Structure formats: structure tokens, C-alpha cells
Amino acid sequence: MTARAQFDADIDAALADAPLQRALADVPAGFVAGRRRAREELPEFEPLRRVGRDIRDHALAHLDLYLEAFEGNATKAGSRVHWAASGDDACRIVLDICRAAGARTITKSKSMVSEEIELRERLQDAEFDVVETDLGEYLVQIRNEKPSHIIAPAIHMRAEDVANVFRRQHGHLAADRQLDTPEKMIAEARGILRDKFLAADVGITGANFLVAETGSAIIVTNEGNADLTMSLPKVHVILTSIDKVVPTFNDAWPLLRLLARSATGQAFTAYTTIVTGPRQPTDPDGPEQCHIVLLDNGRTELLASEMRSVLRCIRCGACMNHCPVYCSIGGHAYNSVYPGPIGAALSPALAGAGQAAHLAEASTFCGRCEQVCPVEIPLVSVMRQWRSLALEQPRSRRARLMLHAWARLAQHPRIYRWCAGIAARSLKWLAGSGARIRRLPFLHAWTDYRDLAAPQGGTFQQQWAQRDRKRAQRDRADVSAARARKSDSAP
Amino acid sequence: MGGRFGVLSTNQCHPVISMTEVFARRPRVGLFVTCLVDLMRPSVGFAAVRLLEAAGCEVVVPEGQTCCGQPAYNGGDAENARKIAMLTMRAFDGFDYVVAPSGSCAAMLKVHYPRLLADDKQHASAARAFAERVHELCAFLIDVCGLEQVPGSFAGRVTYHDGCSGLRELKVREQPRRLLAIVPGLELCEMSDTDACCGFGGLFAMKFPAISNAMVTKKCANAASAKPDLLLSGEMGCLLNVAGKLSRQGAEIECRHIAEVLAGEMTAPAIACSNDGQRR
């Protein structure tokens, strides 16, 4: 099955999935309303978006400089920096670190980069006991699924789904225990995860931002799970991508202000942690080693392209929360690590245009995503560029030919007018005496779901030309009548 | 006479008007009909003409126009979109203003032509100058003409659907509402999520019909909860989509282009309705 055919099948499944549809219906009241409130409470929110954009653009324009500075300062602070060109490289590096540490249990906090390279699966294949410690990620893990949202991985689940999977997964707990409130379920997860935190040999986190001036990583969560993941084991691995670096802490603050407000509507996330190297001699506690794995995976190429602005992304998820397509089909149907508008803009660069170019088709270009993006990524323009690249592919031959034929027509007004006249009359004829067409085989994509209004018959251009002709005739008649009167009255 | 024009060579509305000035030289407006109005609903074009004439303009419909080029542009064919842009700019050369009864077509001309031709040394500045003369119909009537009276009237409840391009690319939001506020008898009742896309999206509705259907179903439910007699929009594509869905659902809400109500051109049946107002 082609990626596009798979996409169509997944769309149909998602639209028919009643629990998913009920879960998605909550997005507007949750994330969208939350962001709106947060924005209203901060008068400088819109100017702040421009500040955020400029900070990211500056960092990307001098990425080589800041990455080198970051590496130097992180090394000085005692971290080890690893460079990974591909997902494979990154997985190998992390596997080697875990093996060298003699690890058995590995805790992990949420990281989209780890999803991108399927790190958990790779570690599990190597017989490590890996546990996701973000509640949503934990749910996704024990249900053997993928996240359906970049900040709310289990947004597709409902409370009863959680209770069911907990009963199945936590078989050692009393079968008659009550799991009828979110509080009870969270308490159960906390108990399970607490044991894992204490047993972990390696803790893996992502990073929201890297700060070049000190070699620090900034990590935000609402559950505090990243703090336990990074501080209890002997080894802390930070897996992130090269685009996350900013020059100084002063550059990071505006981005953090934008991030929480855009993502969840919070003024600030509950936990914001700055990590600068492993435990220092004067520290009472902390990991003995701190490794920072910096992934490229197509980003350098993206940086060199016209679509560089995609790398501004700070992974807030606002674009998908506000996307009518995402809110109709959810994240899984995209079959892409990053769903929604940012996924359509970013995934083709990561997986290769052949794998994900069809995602850019799944947009009405309504522009709501651009309007809310905290760093003003021109998502519609980027999607349009992916469409343009896809159109040049051999498999787009049919679409290309049809588009070119239509475009040629649109460049010849006389023929265009003639064809439009025929089209209007034909549709009118198909409608008969009715005002709408209920079924039209060659337009079944339209008429399967809605009626096609019958045209009024005759194009505007034709009717306008007729009106002009009548006016001209009337004017001519008036002139000749006036002439006749004049000659009559002449002596 | 509702039209008030000041300095005609700019888009500024002159605060002090002189009727002699208005009659001395009526502004020449080129009407960009849009392909959907041309093909499906010419009465919208005539309504637009009537409104523009009521605002004191001389209206010309250049024969050299076809489509604004969005299908090519959004389909990823910038080269052909550029050629169509050149054709449109040529067809509308010499007019004081270019007005379209559609936010998305106006946005194509006003926002995207300059982008398409930005690297074309020969035509970039012409595209920018052209863009300055382009207006969406409602925005033109309010921002440029300062229209204070409209020919139409309507006794009933109306809800207004914002087309996405007009709303977000041209910031057309208040203008149609201000125009509706001066229609005698009309009561505007807003639906929830007015800024949500109806799911038309040009070829999107054909390429992803099931998603488009989910979106237009939500839009229709929102519209219905406002309990209007009539749903209006400035965007023919959205109207065909929403009216087609309402028709399929057997709903009683009628759909029209806003220009029809403003101009009082209501003799044509509503979209997808027959003469007696029935859907059949």
C-alpha cells in the first residue's frame, strides 16, 4: 500500500472511531481555550511571538557557532557531547552508554526526538527494561501504541481506556481495586513509576532548549518525572536535536514564556529544570555521568533549504490543537512522529519527501496554525513548497498533467470563457429542473457527502456581455432617434 | 449616493468629500468576478456591480480575466500560477481599483502575486503596485468607499461565515459585519467558532472528502445552533460547500453570498434552493 493509500484508510478508521472522536471534541475547550486565556492575560503576547521568531532565526543562522560553543561549555561543565548524524547513530550511542553503565532498568521522560528515532524500541530489543515516566507516554507504551500528540501523547484515550489498560498491565494489584477517578489512576501510576525511578541505572530525557553560553539543557515538564529520571540514576543521557540551541539564558526565557502559554495555556510549566553537567564535587547528589546526544537526522539539509523556518519550532503543539484537520482525525492517522501542520512541514525533511509528502496535501490552508505559532513559522507556505516538490515527482504525473491542462486553459481567456459556458450549461442540464445535483459520478468525492448546487445557467461573463450589447443597442437607438428628431426639426 | 471618494490615486479615504469631485471623476473599478461566481452564481457578480455602482464607482468587467490561479499555486505549480498572475495583472491594468467578491481570490491577487513575482526584477514592483489596488468587496465598500447605506433589506436572522483567506490574510472581519449592521431589518446572530474552516479548501474537498465532510458537518451544526434564517459568506467556495451539506441534511437554513443581501438582488433562489425556496 502506498503511503497515501494507507493515509486514506487511517483517515476513514479515525473518523469512524467514536471514542477517538469524543476525545478530540475536548481539544477546543481544553488547549484552545487555555491558550486564548493565556494570550489575553499577557498584553505583550503578539510582540513576544516576534521576539521568539527572531531569537530562533538568529540561533539557526549561526547554528554552527552556537553548537560549537555549546559543546565547549558543556564539556567544561563535565558533560560528554556526542554527535549523531542519523537516528541509527543516536540509538547506537545511547545503547553503548547503557551497556557501559551495566544498566538493566532505564527510565525515560518524554522526548519527541526519541520517538523520531524509535529509541525505546531499540533499547527493548537489546533486552533493557525501559519505562516511560511521563504518564501519557507510559499509557502509550503499555498499550503498545505511538503518541498521538507531541505534548499530550495519550490525548486519544479516555478515562475508561486508562482503567482498562491499568487492570491488564498491573496484574499484581488487587483485582477489585477502584479505578473510577483520575486521582486513583494517577496514584496507581505514581506507585508503579516510583519503584522504577529508584531502580533505574540510566535516565534518559530530552531537552527543550540548549544554552550555548553555559552548556546547559533546559527541560520542562508538568509532572516532575524528568527531574526524577535525571537525578536518581548514576547516568543521565540527554537526547535532543541540534536545532534546540539558543545563545544565552536571556534568549531562552521569552521562548519558555511562549512555550507554556501556547501549549497548555499555563503561564509557566510546573517544572522547569536547568541541567549543567553531572554531579559536581560540592553537590550533595546527582548523576555521575551526563551525556548529551545531539541528533541531526536531516536537519542540516533542512537548514540549508528554503524551508529553514520549520526549525524554529519549539514543539508546543498549538498548530495541531488549532488545526481542523488534526481535530477531525487525531494524530495517529498521520502515521508520522510529528502530526498536524508541523508534522506536514517537518516530517518530509526527516523521513524523505517520498515518505511524508502526502501530509502537506491534508490541509485546507486555512492558516489557523500560522496564526497561533509562537515563533511564526509560515506553515502554509512550507506545506505549499512540499506540494511543489511532490508535484515534480514521477508519481505525480497524472496530477501534473491535469493541473497543467487547466493552467493552460486559464491562460487563454477566450477559450476559458467558452469552456466555462459549456460547463455551466452542462451542469445546469444535469440538474434538470432541480436546484441541486445529488449524485455525479465524476464528482463523487463531492456528491458522496453533499449536494452540488446547480449553476444558475450561463456564466456571468456571458450575461454581462449580453447586457453590454443591449446597452450599446439602446445607446445606438437613442442616438439615431435623436438624430432623426434633429433632422425632422431642421428647416 | 453612498459613495465618498477622496484622493483617487491612493487607497486613503479622504475625510472631507466634495460631491463635485465624486461626479467629476468616478473611480473606475475592475471587477474580478472569480471563477466560481462566473460559473455557478452570476447573480453575485451583478449584486457586486450594483453595490459598487451604489458606492459611486464605474464598474468594468475586463474580458481578459479567468481565474486567480489558486488551484495552480496551492497545488504546487508556482510557474503556471505566475503566468496566470501576469495575465490577470495585464487584464486589470489601468483601473483605479480591482475588487473581487471573494476573500481568497482577493488575497491571491493582493498577498500572493507579489510573493510569486518577488524575484522577477521586471515585474516585482508592478505586482506590488497592483496589489495595492486590490480589495475584497466588503472591505472596499467600508474602507475605501465609506458606504453608509445599502440598497438591500432583509427581515430575519442572519449568521455570517468568515472565509479563512479573507479573515486571516486580509483581516476582513469587521467590514462585512458593519455592512450587515446597516441592512434594514437584519439581525446578525453569530455562530460559535466563526473562524473555523468549513472544510472546502479548494481541491482539498475533492482530495480528502471524508475529512472535509467532518469539518463541514461541524460548521453546519454551529450554524444551526445560531438559529438563522439565512447563512451568508463572502466566499463562494465555502457557500457551495456549506449549502451543499445543509441541502443534503435537509436543513432549512438558506445560503447566499453577502453581496446579494446587501444589493437587494434576492430574486434568484438561494444556493441549492429552487424558486419556491424548497430544496429538491
Side-chain angles (χ1 to χ4, degrees), chain A residues 4 361 364 366 368 384 387-388 404 410-411 416-417 435-436 438 447 449-451 453 456 459-461, chain B residues 35 38 40 42-43 63 66 74 76-77 80 168 195 197 204 207 212-213 241 244-245 247-248 273:
Chain A
R4 177 59 212 267
E361 297 286 334
T364 61
C366 81
R368 228 179 176 189
R384 196 182 281 119
R387 287 186 185 183
S388 174
H404 285 185
Q411 285 161 49
Y416 179 92
R417 280 201 304 278
R436 60 189 180 170
R438 303 214 56 150
T447 54
Y449 296 101
R450 48 180 108 52
D451 295 339
Q456 290 174 328
T459 65
F460 176 80
Q461 292 269 24
Chain B
C35 57
D38 184 49
M40 304 298 288
S43 59
E63 280 203 327
T66 57
N74 289 337
D77 185 357
N80 270 316
R168 278 179 270 269
D195 70 331
C197 176
F204 174 85
K207 288 182 177 170
S212 174
N213 178 51
N241 185 32
K245 188 69 199 175
S247 166
R248 180 64 57 92
C273 285

Side-chain angles (χ1 to χ4, degrees), chain B:
Chain B
M1 181 62 65
R4 299 192 305 175
F5 285 89
V7 184
L8 295 172
S9 55
T10 76
N11 290 350
Q12 308 271 307
C13 182
H14 205 277
V16 185
I17 60 129
S18 116
M19 291 310 276
T20 41
E21 233 180 300
V22 172
F23 288 105
R25 185 184 175 288
R26 293 196 300 163
R28 279 183 81 233
V29 170
L31 180 69
F32 186 80
V33 182
T34 81
C35 57
L36 285 178
V37 165
D38 184 49
L39 181 70
M40 304 298 288
R41 208 162 167 80
S43 59
V44 174
F46 286 104
V49 171
R50 183 152 187 215
L51 283 167
L52 291 167
E53 286 178 347
C57 305
E58 178 197 344
V59 184
V60 178
V61 183
E63 280 203 327
Q65 62 178 305
T66 57
C67 160
C68 64
Q70 275 187 88
Y73 184 52
N74 289 337
D77 185 357
E79 195 42 53
N80 270 316
R82 218 166 274 133
K83 287 182 189 161
I84 296 169
M86 299 292 298
L87 174 112
T88 307
M89 284 162 54
R90 260 199 313 276
F92 285 88
D93 194 28
F95 288 100
D96 297 318
Y97 300 102
V98 180
V99 175
S102 153
S104 77
C105 304
M108 181 69 196
L109 270 55
K110 196 173 179 68
V111 178
H112 297 288
Y113 281 9
R115 285 187 192 168
L116 272 168
L117 295 163
D119 296 330
D120 181 335
K121 281 193 190 112
Q122 220 184 328
H123 302 110
S125 64
R128 283 196 301 274
F130 173 77
E132 287 198 8
R133 295 185 282 126
V134 175
H135 298 271
E136 186 273 341
L137 177 66
C138 293
F140 181 74
L141 293 174
I142 288 286
D143 300 342
V144 182
C145 308
L147 197 65
E148 285 173 351
Q149 274 182 326
V150 290
S153 66
F154 181 79
R157 288 166 67 85
V158 163
T159 197
Y160 185 78
H161 164 67
D162 293 292
C164 292
S165 302
L167 178 69
R168 278 179 270 269
E169 294 187 307
L170 299 178
K171 311 278 178 269
V172 177
R173 198 193 126 75
E174 293 313 314
Q175 299 93 327
R177 288 169 174 80
R178 278 174 61 188
L179 287 167
L180 291 174
I182 55 177
V183 175
L186 188 147
E187 183 194 349
L188 181 67
C189 40
E190 297 278 7
M191 63 176 118
S192 54
D193 293 335
T194 46
D195 70 331
C197 176
C198 72
F200 176 66
L203 288 174
F204 174 85
M206 305 297 290
K207 288 182 177 170
F208 293 91
I211 303 177
S212 174
N213 178 51
M215 289 163 67
V216 73
T217 305
K218 270 180 222 166
K219 178 58 67 183
C220 290
N222 284 337
S225 60
K227 297 191 170 43
D229 302 304
L230 189 59
L231 179 144
L232 297 178
S233 175
E235 199 70 58
M236 205 56 220
C238 305
L239 283 167
L240 288 172
N241 185 32
V242 176
K245 188 69 199 175
L246 287 169
S247 166
R248 180 64 57 92
Q249 292 174 336
E252 290 195 348
I253 306 165
E254 292 193 345
C255 299
R256 285 181 187 274
H257 192 284
I258 185 172
E260 299 174 57
V261 171
L262 297 177
E265 294 264 358
M266 306 267 285
T267 46
I271 302 166
C273 285
S274 49
N275 273 325
D276 49 6
Q278 294 299 304
R279 289 213 161 94
R280 61 171 181 227

Side-chain angles (χ1 to χ4, degrees), chain A residues 8-241:
Chain A
D8 283 336
D10 291 342
I11 287 166
D12 288 341
L15 289 169
D17 183 343
L20 172 68
Q21 290 300 322
R22 280 200 298 276
L24 289 172
D26 294 338
V27 173
F31 287 143
V32 172
R35 179 193 175 274
R36 190 186 307 124
R37 269 196 305 276
R39 179 178 171 270
E40 280 161 8
E41 283 164 12
L42 192 71
E44 70 267 35
F45 188 82
E46 292 304 318
L48 197 61
R49 286 174 69 218
R50 290 191 281 283
V51 170
R53 175 198 65 194
D54 292 346
I55 290 169
R56 296 295 296 133
D57 274 350
H58 173 83
L60 292 169
H62 307 284
L63 194 62
D64 50 346
L65 179 78
Y66 292 123
L67 280 172
E68 277 175 21
F70 175 81
E71 182 184 30
N73 291 324
T75 309
K76 250 184 255 165
S79 299
R80 242 200 94 194
V81 178
H82 309 258
W83 301 91
S86 69
D88 245 14
D89 293 344
C91 285
R92 242 190 332 267
I93 291 165
V94 177
L95 276 166
D96 287 346
I97 294 168
C98 294
R99 285 197 187 110
R104 277 204 311 269
T105 302
I106 300 169
T107 44
K108 234 190 114 275
S109 71
K110 219 181 88 53
S111 145
M112 286 314 294
V113 171
S114 77
E115 296 292 336
E116 188 180 318
I117 66 173
E118 302 193 311
L119 177 65
R120 187 179 72 233
E121 290 81 352
R122 285 286 291 271
L123 291 168
Q124 283 172 326
D125 289 346
E127 306 285 317
F128 290 106
D129 174 24
V130 191
V131 187
E132 295 284 353
T133 61
D134 172 271
L135 180 59
E137 282 285 345
Y138 177 67
L139 290 168
V140 164
Q141 180 187 6
I142 61 179
R143 278 181 32 134
N144 238 331
E145 289 180 335
K146 295 274 183 195
S148 65
H149 190 288
I150 64 169
I151 66 156
I155 198 168
H156 57 287
M157 288 181 214
R158 296 176 64 80
E160 56 263 35
D161 300 327
V162 178
N164 289 341
V165 70
F166 272 14
R167 285 192 196 284
R168 202 181 66 214
Q169 185 74 18
H170 307 150
H172 60 289
L173 298 175
D176 59 348
R177 69 190 188 282
Q178 289 215 314
L179 282 174
D180 50 351
T181 63
E183 289 73 25
K184 284 176 193 153
M185 292 185 252
I186 289 167
E188 180 164 318
R190 185 173 282 137
I192 300 272
L193 292 173
R194 189 58 52 115
D195 294 341
K196 297 290 183 185
F197 282 127
L198 293 169
D201 307 299
V202 174
I204 302 173
T205 68
N208 296 86
F209 300 105
L210 301 171
V211 183
E213 67 172 335
T214 54
S216 308
I218 301 177
I219 301 159
V220 305
T221 69
N222 274 322
E223 297 171 16
N225 60 308
D227 301 272
L228 292 172
T229 301
M230 73 178 87
S231 53
L232 293 177
K234 290 212 163 85
V235 179
H236 177 202
V237 178
I238 298 170
L239 169 68
T240 191
S241 53

Side-chain angles (χ1 to χ4, degrees), chain A residues 286-346:
Chain A
E288 288 162 13
Q289 297 173 27
C290 179
H291 297 269
I292 303 168
V293 183
L294 297 174
L295 176 73
D296 185 323
N297 200 25
R299 286 168 173 81
T300 303
E301 237 174 282
L302 188 55
L303 186 69
S305 77
E306 286 175 52
M307 292 174 267
R308 167 188 284 196
S309 60
V310 177
L311 291 171
R312 286 180 200 155
C313 178
I314 59 172
R315 306 286 189 271
C316 69
C319 61
M320 52 198 80
N321 297 337
H322 290 77
C323 175
V325 174
Y326 178 92
C327 288
S328 296
I329 61 172
H332 285 152
Y334 289 87
N335 211 356
S336 152
V337 175
Y338 303 96
I342 187 61
L346 178 63

